[in-house]
Amino acid sequence: MTFSTGLELSVEEEMQAYSESIVVEYVNTNLGFMVLYPAVFTDDLLVEDANGVSAALPDNSVSFFARRSDNATGNALADHVAAVSADLPGAGVDVNEELSYGTVSYTADGYAVFDVYVVTKDYVYQAQLSYRTDLMGQYSMYNSYLLNSFGVD
């Protein structure tokens, strides 16, 4: 036997409102993926094309994209992530075969970059968040949102 005082619903609504205030969902059924991206990218900053979506703040301090491209090499996930990270000294790499994703994180030219990859026989799906390293305290939490929300059909 259980009971509810209504407090749980209130907390759940508050958490939902908070989540909606910091991230926005992007769904592209034609390309077969969805992702959550930082709410600082307003609709007027989004650019959609045949491969996906991208956005950047006017001062280029933060940017993101999510896209699908052909798997021209036919590489599997681990091989693709290894190839991408090979030219990135000090890159952090994680391949999770069980959940079918790989991540590459690195810093370059004053920016912290976080990539999430999903690789299929036909396509490579990539979501990336990039921000100036002096903004890591403000934007690094979005890496988790990007990783946990990037879904592919």
Side-chain angles (χ1 to χ4, degrees):
M1 178 183 277
T2 64
F3 68 92
S4 172
T5 63
L7 185 57
E8 291 103 11
L9 183 57
S10 178
V11 170
E12 186 175 325
E13 288 172 352
E14 289 295 321
M15 289 302 294
Q16 181 67 26
Y18 172 72
S19 178
E20 290 173 357
S21 73
I22 63 169
V23 291
V24 178
E25 182 179 50
Y26 174 80
V27 177
N28 189 315
T29 55
N30 291 331
L31 296 175
F33 68 85
M34 65 87 51
V35 68
L36 294 176
Y37 63 87
V40 297
F41 300 111
T42 55
D43 289 344
D44 61 314
L45 297 176
L46 292 179
V47 176
E48 285 188 278
D49 62 23
N51 298 317
V53 64
S54 63
L57 292 183
D59 65 358
N60 287 319
S61 61
V62 184
S63 64
F64 103 96
F65 68 77
R67 64 181 174 213
R68 181 185 84 178
S69 58
D70 291 334
N71 187 352
T73 62
N75 281 344
L77 176 63
D79 295 332
H80 182 80
V81 170
V84 167
S85 63
D87 295 331
L88 301 169
V93 176
D94 180 33
V95 175
N96 189 321
E97 293 287 353
E98 185 178 331
L99 297 177
S100 301
Y101 72 82
T103 63
V104 178
S105 56
Y106 60 97
T107 57
D109 301 322
Y111 285 84
V113 181
F114 183 75
D115 287 310
V116 181
Y117 294 95
V118 176
V119 178
T120 68
K121 179 178 69 88
D122 298 320
Y123 300 111
V124 174
Y125 297 86
Q126 179 186 5
Q128 181 183 90
L129 181 62
S130 175
Y131 41 86
R132 285 194 332 242
T133 54
D134 63 319
L135 298 174
M136 286 180 83
Q138 187 176 349
Y139 287 97
S140 62
M141 73 173 186
Y142 291 105
N143 295 352
S144 294
Y145 283 102
L146 196 70
L147 171 62
N148 294 320
S149 71
F150 193 42
V152 172
D153 287 339

